[in-house]
């Protein structure tokens, strides 16, 4: 009997110890948006010990690509397993990860030209304040980062370029950097929607990472730590290369990675540990 109690106690200690080292993921959360006039879905990763601690944590906004939703990084990106492992091995600091849905209703992380779907306004004016109220998130720039893949890579580029005062690090992965020319943008606009040349040019300049890098001040660009990663067989390789060249010409420090791989989850799962380590260095003031 004593032996059984000992075995059971040992099992419980090991079980509780193991699970105490694991984070938690909730991928069916939602909030109301007045800007988008709808319920917005999001997922969250909470680090090990969040429930029992009283400390506040850095936050990473992790954006999905076209075709996915807030569950993409959870289901295919294995965010919980990878982040738990990185924290356990000391490669990443405990952090909260917010994964918003940019697919509900309409697709994309930006405001539309005609202003009928202002997702970027929602992100900055509603989602971020909601997160900072609901979770124990540190609110200083130093403790906030943004990353994403493909369409979400474009989102992480634009958000950090539009608001460099808010993010310590930005990590675009296989990013869609925006239309590479005005003609390319014009081809993407439905023929039923009519805009002036001035409207189209203004939208192009605000939603093309290369144009933004060229026009933004060196001081503001340097205030963000940049990590760009794109596979050598990725169809978005050109835009990422041009962003790297534009940053290099302005002598902006940044990490630029080209690895063997294509536009797929195999590549992005391998990128995530590097992203977690990179943003953690920023949180720690390397």
């Amino acid at each position: 009997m004593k032996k059984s109690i000992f075995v059971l106690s040992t099992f419980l200690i090991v079980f509780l110890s193991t699970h105490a080292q694991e984070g938690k993921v909730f991928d069916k959360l939602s909030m109301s948006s007045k800007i988008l006039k709808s319920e917005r879905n999001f997922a969250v990763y909470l680090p090990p010990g969040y429930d029992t601690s009283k400390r506040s944590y850095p936050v990473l906004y992790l954006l999905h690509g076209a075709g996915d939703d807030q569950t993409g990084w959870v289901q295919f990106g294995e965010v919980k397993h990878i982040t738990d492992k990185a924290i356990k091995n000391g490669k990443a600091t405990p952090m909260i990860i917010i994964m918003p849905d940019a697919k509900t209703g309409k697709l994309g992380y930006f405001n539309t030209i005609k202003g009928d779907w202002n997702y970027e306004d929602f992100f900055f004016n509603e989602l971020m304040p909601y997160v900072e109220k609901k979770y124990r998130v540190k609110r200083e720039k130093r403790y906030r980062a943004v990353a994403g893949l493909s369409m979400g890579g474009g989102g992480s580029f634009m958000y950090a370029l539009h608001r460099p005062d808010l993010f310590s690090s930005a990590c675009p992965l296989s990013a869609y950097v925006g239309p590479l020319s005005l003609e390319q943008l014009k081809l993407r606009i439905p023929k039923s929607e009519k805009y002036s040349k001035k409207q189209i040019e203004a939208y192009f300049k605000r939603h093309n990472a290369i144009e933004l890098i060229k026009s933004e001040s060196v001081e503001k660009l340097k205030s963000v730590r940049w990590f760009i990663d794109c596979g050598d067989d990725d169809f978005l390789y050109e835009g990422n290369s041009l962003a790297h060249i534009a940053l290099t010409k302005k002598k902006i420090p940044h990490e630029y990675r080209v690895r063997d791989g294509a536009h797929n989850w195999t590549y992005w799962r391998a990128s995530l540990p590097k992203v977690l380590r990179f943003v953690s260095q920023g949180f720690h003031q390397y």
Side-chain angles (χ1 to χ4, degrees):
M1 181 65 177
K2 290 183 178 179
K3 185 177 180 181
S4 298
I5 293 173
F6 175 78
V7 172
L8 179 60
S9 298
T10 302
F11 170 78
L12 287 173
I13 290 170
V14 172
F15 178 83
L16 293 173
S17 175
T18 300
H19 283 265
Q21 298 175 30
E22 292 185 1
K24 293 182 179 179
V25 165
F26 302 91
D27 64 359
K28 294 182 179 179
L29 304 174
S30 66
M31 60 169 288
S32 296
S33 169
K34 292 182 179 179
I35 292 173
L36 299 178
K37 299 179 178 63
S38 62
E39 284 292 306
R40 304 305 306 171
N41 297 328
F42 69 96
V44 61
Y45 166 88
L46 300 176
Y50 180 85
D51 290 337
T52 55
S53 76
K54 293 183 179 180
R55 62 169 288 196
S56 295
Y57 295 85
V59 61
L60 169 64
Y61 289 89
L62 188 60
L63 312 181
H64 67 78
D68 286 321
D69 55 25
Q70 82 281 1
T71 66
W73 275 107
V74 177
Q75 180 68 36
F76 308 116
E78 299 180 11
V79 68
K80 180 184 178 299
H81 169 71
I82 291 172
T83 308
D84 280 351
K85 183 178 179 180
I87 292 172
K88 182 180 179 181
N89 294 339
K91 303 294 185 182
T93 191
M95 69 183 79
I96 293 171
I97 302 177
I98 302 295
M99 294 157 277
D101 177 20
K103 186 180 180 183
T104 308
K106 295 187 179 182
L107 183 65
Y109 292 99
F110 313 131
N111 298 347
T112 58
I113 299 178
K114 59 183 177 181
D116 61 338
W117 186 256
N118 295 325
Y119 191 97
E120 185 169 346
D121 290 349
F122 155 76
F123 183 92
F124 288 114
N125 299 328
E126 291 185 327
L127 176 63
M128 283 179 53
Y130 178 87
V131 166
E132 292 175 357
K133 183 177 180 181
K134 184 175 178 63
Y135 300 102
R136 297 195 308 276
V137 169
K138 293 186 176 182
R139 302 181 182 186
E140 300 92 338
K141 165 188 167 81
R142 170 184 167 184
Y143 300 111
R144 189 185 298 113
V146 62
L149 66 90
S150 193
M151 179 182 78
S156 57
F157 249 135
M158 303 307 164
Y159 285 0
L161 287 165
H162 291 169
R163 294 299 307 272
D165 58 307
L166 292 179
F167 301 102
S168 60
S169 300
C171 305
L173 310 174
S174 309
Y176 171 62
V177 301
L180 297 180
S181 67
L182 272 171
E183 290 305 314
Q184 195 177 95
L185 173 58
K186 290 175 183 177
L187 291 173
R188 293 174 181 270
I189 299 173
K191 293 182 179 179
S192 59
E193 298 180 14
K194 304 297 182 182
Y195 304 106
S196 68
K197 181 181 178 181
K198 187 176 180 179
Q199 285 177 304
I200 295 173
E201 287 179 350
Y203 193 86
F204 172 73
K205 289 178 180 178
R206 185 164 175 78
H207 296 89
N208 177 279
I210 296 100
E211 290 295 314
L212 285 166
I213 291 168
K214 289 178 180 178
S215 63
E216 188 58 273
S217 72
V218 169
E219 181 183 5
K220 287 184 178 180
L221 289 171
K222 283 186 174 181
S223 73
V224 179
R225 301 173 67 251
W226 299 95
F227 181 92
I228 303 168
D229 188 2
C230 188
D232 58 355
D233 294 319
D234 197 305
F235 71 96
L236 294 177
Y237 178 76
E238 181 183 3
N240 287 264
S241 301
L242 291 173
H244 158 60
I245 291 169
L247 287 168
T248 301
K249 285 184 175 180
K250 294 190 79 166
K251 298 181 180 180
I252 307 301
H254 65 286
E255 299 295 323
Y256 178 55
R257 299 289 179 267
V258 178
R259 295 181 288 112
D260 179 33
H263 200 81
N264 55 40
W265 279 107
T266 300
Y267 193 89
W268 302 319
R269 281 192 294 268
S271 296
L272 186 55
K274 300 176 177 63
V275 168
L276 296 172
R277 185 171 186 174
F278 185 81
V279 300
S280 293
Q281 290 171 344
F283 296 152
H284 286 153
Q285 280 196 335
Y286 64 104

